[in-house]
Amino acid sequence: MSTSINRRTMLRLAAAAGTVGLSSGLAPAQAQGVTLRLSAPATPTDQRAIALTEIFGPAVKDFATFQPHWNATLFRQGTELEAIARNNLEMSITSPQELATLIPAWSIFTAGYLLRDADHQKKVFADTLMNDLKKTTEDRLGVKLLSVMYLGRRQVNLRSEKEIRTPADLAGVKLRMPNSEAWLFLGTALGANPLPLAFTEIYTALQTGAVDGQDNPLPTVRDSKFFEVTKQIVLTSHLVDQNYLAISKRVFDRFTPAQQATIQKAADDASEQARQRQLRLEVELEDFFKAQGLKVYTPDVEAFRKKVQADYLASKFAKDWPAGMVERINAVR
Ligand code: KDO
């Protein structure tokens, strides 16, 4: 059922991207003075937002105006890709989970315990093994992925104090997940009862008890103040979470090669600054949360890894993964 919806949506978007292709014959010089509106649910104090504002915007300012809209104020979380495909938006920070709703092969990167760390994530994105997925995304959605943005290792963050050692301990726990099939599957694979909710609604849901917990990397738990309304962080590290800085291919193609190189470098530089800062925060924040009175501890990670990996390999998602891709990802050092 959902596959046919996805396919329909994809055809619609492919048609939109086709129109885009026709109009991309505009002369590069016409890109002068372009406004690059970016929509994302990230807060303005998130390290990715800071890096894009401090580095990306100034780097492209001679030929484009970078105009970010944080806190999902321009487009709702999860609707940005379609907005780009329909020529209603120029940029977003997207994710494999969102891409997988339109191009199922992307679900490979929604699998828990696949990527090892930030370095592995960066190398995989740069590897030729990504060429087909990147090209399919450009051709079908009209979306170019400029760089990978490290969000951090996702951890389970709960309102209760009950100790969690294994997936069985999460049985019945209402765990907020972002609203997509792949995200919800991750919640189930962890052993919890996943509830879909937009990022911007997490704090209130935790505060009121509408959910028992949420999962996000430590820098996000700090930045969005989830620690104020929760009692513990279980260091499951179940997903080395990645986002991508995305731009409309039609808009990108209107820039001159030199401008495109400037945009690419600006994206790489901003992503690198954000990655280094997220990594530093992940180390520092354990003590911060403990000082705030939260319990922070490592559960039986092997028990989580075993269940999550087995669930993904047996899932319907795995049927859409390109042959040999898991092995190629694992082989990247
Ligand atoms: C979230 O909704 O939990 C999530 O962390 C998912 C990510 O893919 C990304 O969309 C992120 O939110 C936003 O950028 C807000 O940090």
Short mmCIF file of all heavy atoms in Angstrom, two decimals, residues 152-212:
data_model
loop_
_atom_site.label_atom_id
_atom_site.label_comp_id
_atom_site.label_asym_id
_atom_site.label_seq_id
_atom_site.Cartn_x
_atom_site.Cartn_y
_atom_site.Cartn_z
N GLY A 152 25.08 13.54 14.89
CA GLY A 152 25.56 12.93 16.12
C GLY A 152 25.00 11.53 16.30
O GLY A 152 24.22 11.06 15.48
N ARG A 153 25.45 10.86 17.37
CA ARG A 153 24.94 9.51 17.67
C ARG A 153 23.64 9.64 18.45
O ARG A 153 23.60 10.30 19.49
CB ARG A 153 25.99 8.73 18.49
CG ARG A 153 27.16 8.26 17.66
CD ARG A 153 28.30 7.76 18.51
NE ARG A 153 28.93 8.88 19.23
CZ ARG A 153 29.26 8.86 20.52
NH1 ARG A 153 29.05 7.79 21.26
NH2 ARG A 153 29.81 9.91 21.08
N ARG A 154 22.59 9.02 17.93
CA ARG A 154 21.29 9.16 18.60
C ARG A 154 21.24 8.31 19.86
O ARG A 154 21.70 7.17 19.88
CB ARG A 154 20.14 8.79 17.64
CG ARG A 154 19.96 9.84 16.55
CD ARG A 154 18.82 9.50 15.62
NE ARG A 154 17.53 10.00 16.06
CZ ARG A 154 17.01 11.18 15.70
NH1 ARG A 154 17.70 12.00 14.92
NH2 ARG A 154 15.83 11.54 16.13
N GLN A 155 20.71 8.91 20.91
CA GLN A 155 20.60 8.27 22.22
C GLN A 155 19.15 8.30 22.67
O GLN A 155 18.39 9.16 22.25
CB GLN A 155 21.48 9.01 23.25
CG GLN A 155 22.84 9.44 22.76
CD GLN A 155 23.81 8.28 22.50
OE1 GLN A 155 23.44 7.11 22.63
NE2 GLN A 155 25.02 8.60 22.11
N VAL A 156 18.80 7.37 23.55
CA VAL A 156 17.42 7.31 24.06
C VAL A 156 17.33 8.19 25.31
O VAL A 156 18.10 8.03 26.25
CB VAL A 156 17.02 5.85 24.37
CG1 VAL A 156 15.68 5.80 25.09
CG2 VAL A 156 16.96 5.03 23.08
N ASN A 157 16.36 9.08 25.30
CA ASN A 157 16.22 10.12 26.34
C ASN A 157 14.80 10.02 26.92
O ASN A 157 13.83 10.27 26.21
CB ASN A 157 16.49 11.47 25.63
CG ASN A 157 16.26 12.69 26.47
OD1 ASN A 157 15.90 13.73 25.94
ND2 ASN A 157 16.47 12.60 27.76
N LEU A 158 14.73 9.61 28.21
CA LEU A 158 13.41 9.25 28.77
C LEU A 158 12.99 10.10 29.97
O LEU A 158 13.83 10.61 30.72
CB LEU A 158 13.44 7.78 29.22
CG LEU A 158 13.75 6.74 28.14
CD1 LEU A 158 13.88 5.37 28.78
CD2 LEU A 158 12.70 6.74 27.04
N ARG A 159 11.68 10.17 30.18
CA ARG A 159 11.11 10.87 31.34
C ARG A 159 11.23 10.04 32.61
O ARG A 159 11.29 10.57 33.70
CB ARG A 159 9.62 11.16 31.11
CG ARG A 159 9.34 12.12 29.97
CD ARG A 159 7.85 12.24 29.77
NE ARG A 159 7.27 13.16 30.73
CZ ARG A 159 6.28 12.89 31.56
NH1 ARG A 159 5.76 11.68 31.57
NH2 ARG A 159 5.83 13.80 32.38
N SER A 160 11.21 8.70 32.44
CA SER A 160 11.22 7.85 33.63
C SER A 160 12.65 7.58 34.09
O SER A 160 13.60 7.83 33.35
CB SER A 160 10.54 6.51 33.33
OG SER A 160 11.47 5.66 32.70
N GLU A 161 12.78 7.04 35.31
CA GLU A 161 14.11 6.70 35.83
C GLU A 161 14.41 5.21 35.72
O GLU A 161 15.49 4.76 36.07
CB GLU A 161 14.23 7.15 37.28
CG GLU A 161 14.28 8.66 37.40
CD GLU A 161 14.67 9.12 38.79
OE1 GLU A 161 15.87 9.17 39.07
OE2 GLU A 161 13.74 9.39 39.58
N LYS A 162 13.42 4.47 35.23
CA LYS A 162 13.59 3.01 35.14
C LYS A 162 14.81 2.66 34.29
O LYS A 162 14.96 3.16 33.18
CB LYS A 162 12.32 2.40 34.51
CG LYS A 162 12.36 0.91 34.37
CD LYS A 162 11.31 0.40 33.39
CE LYS A 162 11.81 -0.86 32.72
NZ LYS A 162 11.03 -1.30 31.59
N GLU A 163 15.67 1.81 34.84
CA GLU A 163 16.91 1.49 34.12
C GLU A 163 16.63 0.66 32.85
O GLU A 163 15.84 -0.27 32.88
CB GLU A 163 17.84 0.73 35.05
CG GLU A 163 19.13 0.38 34.37
CD GLU A 163 20.30 0.33 35.33
OE1 GLU A 163 20.28 1.04 36.35
OE2 GLU A 163 21.24 -0.43 35.03
N ILE A 164 17.30 1.03 31.77
CA ILE A 164 17.15 0.33 30.49
C ILE A 164 18.48 -0.34 30.16
O ILE A 164 19.49 0.33 29.98
CB ILE A 164 16.80 1.35 29.36
CG1 ILE A 164 15.55 2.18 29.70
CG2 ILE A 164 16.66 0.63 28.01
CD1 ILE A 164 14.26 1.41 29.80
N ARG A 165 18.47 -1.68 30.10
CA ARG A 165 19.70 -2.39 29.74
C ARG A 165 19.62 -2.98 28.34
O ARG A 165 20.58 -2.99 27.60
CB ARG A 165 19.98 -3.56 30.73
CG ARG A 165 20.02 -3.21 32.16
CD ARG A 165 21.31 -2.68 32.76
NE ARG A 165 22.49 -2.51 31.95
CZ ARG A 165 23.35 -1.49 32.10
NH1 ARG A 165 23.14 -0.58 33.03
NH2 ARG A 165 24.41 -1.40 31.35
N THR A 166 18.42 -3.51 27.99
CA THR A 166 18.26 -4.21 26.71
C THR A 166 16.98 -3.72 26.01
O THR A 166 16.14 -3.05 26.63
CB THR A 166 18.13 -5.73 26.93
OG1 THR A 166 16.88 -5.96 27.61
CG2 THR A 166 19.27 -6.29 27.76
N PRO A 167 16.77 -4.09 24.74
CA PRO A 167 15.54 -3.69 24.05
C PRO A 167 14.28 -4.12 24.80
O PRO A 167 13.28 -3.39 24.79
CB PRO A 167 15.65 -4.41 22.70
CG PRO A 167 17.11 -4.57 22.47
CD PRO A 167 17.71 -4.78 23.83
N ALA A 168 14.32 -5.23 25.49
CA ALA A 168 13.13 -5.71 26.21
C ALA A 168 12.69 -4.69 27.26
O ALA A 168 11.49 -4.57 27.55
CB ALA A 168 13.43 -7.06 26.87
N ASP A 169 13.63 -3.94 27.80
CA ASP A 169 13.29 -2.95 28.83
C ASP A 169 12.54 -1.75 28.25
O ASP A 169 11.99 -0.93 29.00
CB ASP A 169 14.56 -2.45 29.53
CG ASP A 169 15.27 -3.56 30.29
OD1 ASP A 169 14.57 -4.46 30.79
OD2 ASP A 169 16.51 -3.54 30.34
N LEU A 170 12.54 -1.63 26.93
CA LEU A 170 11.82 -0.50 26.30
C LEU A 170 10.39 -0.89 25.91
O LEU A 170 9.65 -0.06 25.35
CB LEU A 170 12.57 0.01 25.07
CG LEU A 170 13.80 0.88 25.33
CD1 LEU A 170 14.53 1.22 24.02
CD2 LEU A 170 13.41 2.19 26.04
N ALA A 171 10.01 -2.13 26.20
CA ALA A 171 8.66 -2.59 25.82
C ALA A 171 7.60 -1.66 26.40
O ALA A 171 7.63 -1.33 27.60
CB ALA A 171 8.44 -4.02 26.31
N GLY A 172 6.71 -1.17 25.55
CA GLY A 172 5.61 -0.32 26.00
C GLY A 172 5.99 1.14 26.18
O GLY A 172 5.11 1.98 26.43
N VAL A 173 7.25 1.47 26.03
CA VAL A 173 7.68 2.87 26.19
C VAL A 173 7.27 3.66 24.93
O VAL A 173 7.64 3.30 23.81
CB VAL A 173 9.21 2.95 26.40
CG1 VAL A 173 9.70 4.40 26.31
CG2 VAL A 173 9.58 2.34 27.74
N LYS A 174 6.50 4.73 25.15
CA LYS A 174 6.04 5.55 24.01
C LYS A 174 7.19 6.48 23.61
O LYS A 174 7.46 7.48 24.26
CB LYS A 174 4.83 6.40 24.41
CG LYS A 174 3.54 5.59 24.50
CD LYS A 174 2.36 6.49 24.81
CE LYS A 174 2.27 6.79 26.29
NZ LYS A 174 1.36 7.85 26.68
N LEU A 175 7.88 6.07 22.55
CA LEU A 175 9.08 6.80 22.13
C LEU A 175 8.76 7.67 20.91
O LEU A 175 8.38 7.16 19.85
CB LEU A 175 10.19 5.81 21.77
CG LEU A 175 11.58 6.38 21.53
CD1 LEU A 175 12.17 6.97 22.82
CD2 LEU A 175 12.52 5.31 20.98
N ARG A 176 8.90 8.97 21.10
CA ARG A 176 8.66 9.87 19.95
C ARG A 176 9.70 9.61 18.87
O ARG A 176 10.90 9.52 19.16
CB ARG A 176 8.74 11.34 20.39
CG ARG A 176 8.66 12.31 19.24
CD ARG A 176 10.00 12.60 18.59
NE ARG A 176 9.89 13.34 17.34
CZ ARG A 176 10.91 13.68 16.56
NH1 ARG A 176 12.13 13.35 16.90
NH2 ARG A 176 10.73 14.34 15.45
N MET A 177 9.22 9.48 17.64
CA MET A 177 10.12 9.38 16.48
C MET A 177 9.64 10.39 15.44
O MET A 177 8.47 10.77 15.44
CB MET A 177 10.08 7.97 15.87
CG MET A 177 10.49 6.83 16.79
SD MET A 177 12.17 6.88 17.44
CE MET A 177 13.18 6.59 16.00
N PRO A 178 10.54 10.84 14.55
CA PRO A 178 10.08 11.69 13.45
C PRO A 178 9.07 10.91 12.60
O PRO A 178 9.06 9.67 12.62
CB PRO A 178 11.35 11.99 12.66
CG PRO A 178 12.47 11.71 13.61
CD PRO A 178 11.99 10.61 14.50
N ASN A 179 8.26 11.67 11.87
CA ASN A 179 7.14 11.03 11.19
C ASN A 179 7.50 10.49 9.82
O ASN A 179 7.23 11.12 8.80
CB ASN A 179 5.99 12.03 11.07
CG ASN A 179 4.73 11.36 10.58
OD1 ASN A 179 4.68 10.13 10.48
ND2 ASN A 179 3.71 12.14 10.28
N SER A 180 8.10 9.31 9.79
CA SER A 180 8.26 8.61 8.51
C SER A 180 8.37 7.12 8.84
O SER A 180 8.73 6.73 9.95
CB SER A 180 9.47 9.10 7.72
OG SER A 180 10.62 8.38 8.09
N GLU A 181 8.06 6.32 7.83
CA GLU A 181 8.02 4.87 8.03
C GLU A 181 9.36 4.34 8.55
O GLU A 181 9.41 3.52 9.47
CB GLU A 181 7.69 4.23 6.68
CG GLU A 181 6.95 2.94 6.76
CD GLU A 181 6.76 2.31 5.39
OE1 GLU A 181 7.18 2.91 4.37
OE2 GLU A 181 6.19 1.21 5.36
N ALA A 182 10.44 4.85 7.95
CA ALA A 182 11.77 4.36 8.33
C ALA A 182 12.10 4.73 9.78
O ALA A 182 12.66 3.93 10.52
CB ALA A 182 12.82 4.93 7.39
N TRP A 183 11.74 5.94 10.18
CA TRP A 183 12.00 6.34 11.58
C TRP A 183 11.19 5.48 12.53
O TRP A 183 11.68 5.04 13.58
CB TRP A 183 11.61 7.80 11.79
CG TRP A 183 12.64 8.82 11.40
CD1 TRP A 183 12.46 9.82 10.48
CD2 TRP A 183 13.96 8.99 11.93
NE1 TRP A 183 13.60 10.59 10.40
CE2 TRP A 183 14.53 10.11 11.28
CE3 TRP A 183 14.72 8.31 12.88
CZ2 TRP A 183 15.82 10.55 11.56
CZ3 TRP A 183 16.01 8.76 13.16
CH2 TRP A 183 16.54 9.86 12.50
N LEU A 184 9.93 5.25 12.21
CA LEU A 184 9.08 4.47 13.11
C LEU A 184 9.60 3.05 13.24
O LEU A 184 9.59 2.46 14.32
CB LEU A 184 7.62 4.48 12.62
CG LEU A 184 6.98 5.88 12.64
CD1 LEU A 184 5.62 5.88 11.97
CD2 LEU A 184 6.86 6.40 14.07
N PHE A 185 10.13 2.51 12.13
CA PHE A 185 10.68 1.16 12.19
C PHE A 185 11.86 1.12 13.15
O PHE A 185 12.04 0.16 13.90
CB PHE A 185 11.11 0.70 10.78
CG PHE A 185 11.55 -0.73 10.76
CD1 PHE A 185 10.62 -1.76 10.70
CD2 PHE A 185 12.89 -1.07 10.85
CE1 PHE A 185 11.02 -3.10 10.71
CE2 PHE A 185 13.30 -2.40 10.86
CZ PHE A 185 12.36 -3.41 10.79
N LEU A 186 12.67 2.18 13.15
CA LEU A 186 13.82 2.22 14.05
C LEU A 186 13.34 2.16 15.51
O LEU A 186 13.91 1.45 16.34
CB LEU A 186 14.65 3.48 13.81
CG LEU A 186 15.88 3.67 14.69
CD1 LEU A 186 16.86 2.50 14.54
CD2 LEU A 186 16.60 4.97 14.36
N GLY A 187 12.27 2.89 15.80
CA GLY A 187 11.72 2.87 17.16
C GLY A 187 11.28 1.47 17.56
O GLY A 187 11.56 1.00 18.68
N THR A 188 10.64 0.77 16.64
CA THR A 188 10.20 -0.60 16.92
C THR A 188 11.40 -1.51 17.09
O THR A 188 11.43 -2.36 17.99
CB THR A 188 9.32 -1.12 15.75
OG1 THR A 188 8.29 -0.16 15.50
CG2 THR A 188 8.70 -2.46 16.08
N ALA A 189 12.40 -1.34 16.22
CA ALA A 189 13.59 -2.20 16.29
C ALA A 189 14.31 -2.02 17.64
O ALA A 189 14.90 -2.96 18.16
CB ALA A 189 14.55 -1.88 15.14
N LEU A 190 14.21 -0.83 18.21
CA LEU A 190 14.83 -0.60 19.52
C LEU A 190 14.06 -1.29 20.64
O LEU A 190 14.52 -1.34 21.78
CB LEU A 190 14.88 0.91 19.80
CG LEU A 190 15.91 1.73 19.02
CD1 LEU A 190 15.67 3.22 19.19
CD2 LEU A 190 17.34 1.36 19.45
N GLY A 191 12.85 -1.74 20.33
CA GLY A 191 12.03 -2.43 21.33
C GLY A 191 10.92 -1.57 21.89
O GLY A 191 10.15 -2.00 22.74
N ALA A 192 10.84 -0.30 21.42
CA ALA A 192 9.87 0.65 21.99
C ALA A 192 8.57 0.68 21.18
O ALA A 192 8.42 -0.03 20.18
CB ALA A 192 10.49 2.04 22.02
N ASN A 193 7.66 1.53 21.65
CA ASN A 193 6.40 1.75 20.97
C ASN A 193 6.49 3.15 20.33
O ASN A 193 6.28 4.14 21.02
CB ASN A 193 5.29 1.67 22.03
CG ASN A 193 3.92 1.92 21.45
OD1 ASN A 193 3.77 1.90 20.22
ND2 ASN A 193 2.95 2.17 22.30
N PRO A 194 6.85 3.23 19.03
CA PRO A 194 7.12 4.55 18.45
C PRO A 194 5.88 5.38 18.17
O PRO A 194 4.86 4.85 17.74
CB PRO A 194 7.82 4.20 17.13
CG PRO A 194 7.32 2.85 16.77
CD PRO A 194 7.01 2.14 18.06
N LEU A 195 5.98 6.68 18.44
CA LEU A 195 4.88 7.61 18.15
C LEU A 195 5.42 8.72 17.26
O LEU A 195 6.40 9.37 17.62
CB LEU A 195 4.37 8.25 19.45
CG LEU A 195 3.49 7.40 20.34
CD1 LEU A 195 3.05 8.22 21.54
CD2 LEU A 195 2.28 6.89 19.59
N PRO A 196 4.78 8.97 16.10
CA PRO A 196 5.29 10.01 15.20
C PRO A 196 4.92 11.42 15.67
O PRO A 196 3.78 11.67 16.06
CB PRO A 196 4.59 9.69 13.87
CG PRO A 196 3.33 8.99 14.26
CD PRO A 196 3.59 8.29 15.56
N LEU A 197 5.90 12.30 15.63
CA LEU A 197 5.68 13.68 16.07
C LEU A 197 6.74 14.58 15.44
O LEU A 197 7.89 14.18 15.33
CB LEU A 197 5.82 13.72 17.60
CG LEU A 197 5.21 14.90 18.35
CD1 LEU A 197 3.69 14.87 18.25
CD2 LEU A 197 5.64 14.84 19.82
N ALA A 198 6.33 15.80 15.08
CA ALA A 198 7.30 16.73 14.48
C ALA A 198 8.32 17.16 15.53
O ALA A 198 8.01 17.24 16.73
CB ALA A 198 6.58 17.95 13.92
N PHE A 199 9.52 17.47 15.06
CA PHE A 199 10.60 17.87 15.96
C PHE A 199 10.18 19.05 16.85
O PHE A 199 10.46 19.06 18.06
CB PHE A 199 11.84 18.25 15.14
CG PHE A 199 13.01 18.63 15.98
CD1 PHE A 199 13.80 17.67 16.59
CD2 PHE A 199 13.32 19.97 16.21
CE1 PHE A 199 14.86 18.02 17.40
CE2 PHE A 199 14.39 20.33 17.01
CZ PHE A 199 15.16 19.35 17.60
N THR A 200 9.51 20.02 16.26
CA THR A 200 9.15 21.23 17.00
C THR A 200 8.15 20.97 18.13
O THR A 200 7.91 21.85 18.95
CB THR A 200 8.54 22.27 16.03
OG1 THR A 200 7.64 21.60 15.15
CG2 THR A 200 9.61 22.96 15.21
N GLU A 201 7.56 19.77 18.16
CA GLU A 201 6.56 19.48 19.21
C GLU A 201 7.09 18.60 20.33
O GLU A 201 6.35 18.26 21.27
CB GLU A 201 5.33 18.82 18.56
CG GLU A 201 4.53 19.82 17.72
CD GLU A 201 3.58 19.13 16.76
OE1 GLU A 201 3.06 18.06 17.12
OE2 GLU A 201 3.37 19.66 15.67
N ILE A 202 8.37 18.23 20.23
CA ILE A 202 8.91 17.26 21.21
C ILE A 202 8.89 17.81 22.64
O ILE A 202 8.44 17.13 23.57
CB ILE A 202 10.36 16.85 20.85
CG1 ILE A 202 10.41 16.19 19.47
CG2 ILE A 202 10.90 15.89 21.91
CD1 ILE A 202 11.83 15.82 19.03
N TYR A 203 9.35 19.02 22.83
CA TYR A 203 9.50 19.55 24.20
C TYR A 203 8.16 19.48 24.94
O TYR A 203 8.08 18.96 26.06
CB TYR A 203 10.03 20.99 24.16
CG TYR A 203 10.36 21.53 25.54
CD1 TYR A 203 11.65 21.47 26.03
CD2 TYR A 203 9.36 22.06 26.36
CE1 TYR A 203 11.96 21.94 27.31
CE2 TYR A 203 9.66 22.53 27.64
CZ TYR A 203 10.96 22.46 28.10
OH TYR A 203 11.25 22.92 29.37
N THR A 204 7.12 20.00 24.32
CA THR A 204 5.81 20.01 24.97
C THR A 204 5.30 18.60 25.22
O THR A 204 4.71 18.32 26.27
CB THR A 204 4.80 20.79 24.09
OG1 THR A 204 5.40 22.01 23.72
CG2 THR A 204 3.52 21.07 24.82
N ALA A 205 5.54 17.71 24.26
CA ALA A 205 5.07 16.32 24.42
C ALA A 205 5.77 15.65 25.60
O ALA A 205 5.15 14.89 26.35
CB ALA A 205 5.30 15.54 23.13
N LEU A 206 7.05 15.96 25.79
CA LEU A 206 7.78 15.40 26.93
C LEU A 206 7.27 16.03 28.23
O LEU A 206 7.07 15.36 29.25
CB LEU A 206 9.29 15.67 26.79
CG LEU A 206 10.04 14.88 25.73
CD1 LEU A 206 11.45 15.45 25.54
CD2 LEU A 206 10.12 13.39 26.10
N GLN A 207 7.06 17.32 28.17
CA GLN A 207 6.62 18.06 29.36
C GLN A 207 5.26 17.56 29.86
O GLN A 207 5.04 17.39 31.06
CB GLN A 207 6.53 19.54 29.00
CG GLN A 207 6.41 20.47 30.16
CD GLN A 207 6.47 21.92 29.68
OE1 GLN A 207 5.92 22.23 28.62
NE2 GLN A 207 7.13 22.76 30.44
N THR A 208 4.35 17.32 28.93
CA THR A 208 2.99 16.93 29.31
C THR A 208 2.85 15.43 29.51
O THR A 208 1.81 14.97 29.98
CB THR A 208 1.98 17.35 28.22
OG1 THR A 208 2.37 16.70 26.99
CG2 THR A 208 1.95 18.85 28.01
N GLY A 209 3.87 14.67 29.09
CA GLY A 209 3.76 13.22 29.22
C GLY A 209 3.01 12.57 28.07
O GLY A 209 2.64 11.40 28.15
N ALA A 210 2.80 13.32 27.00
CA ALA A 210 2.16 12.72 25.82
C ALA A 210 3.05 11.61 25.25
O ALA A 210 2.58 10.68 24.61
CB ALA A 210 1.90 13.79 24.76
N VAL A 211 4.37 11.75 25.46
CA VAL A 211 5.30 10.67 25.11
C VAL A 211 6.17 10.39 26.33
O VAL A 211 6.31 11.23 27.21
CB VAL A 211 6.19 11.03 23.89
CG1 VAL A 211 5.37 11.23 22.63
CG2 VAL A 211 7.04 12.28 24.17
N ASP A 212 6.76 9.16 26.35
CA ASP A 212 7.64 8.79 27.47
C ASP A 212 9.08 9.18 27.22
O ASP A 212 9.90 9.18 28.14
CB ASP A 212 7.60 7.28 27.70
CG ASP A 212 6.19 6.79 28.04
OD1 ASP A 212 5.45 7.54 28.71
OD2 ASP A 212 5.84 5.67 27.61
#
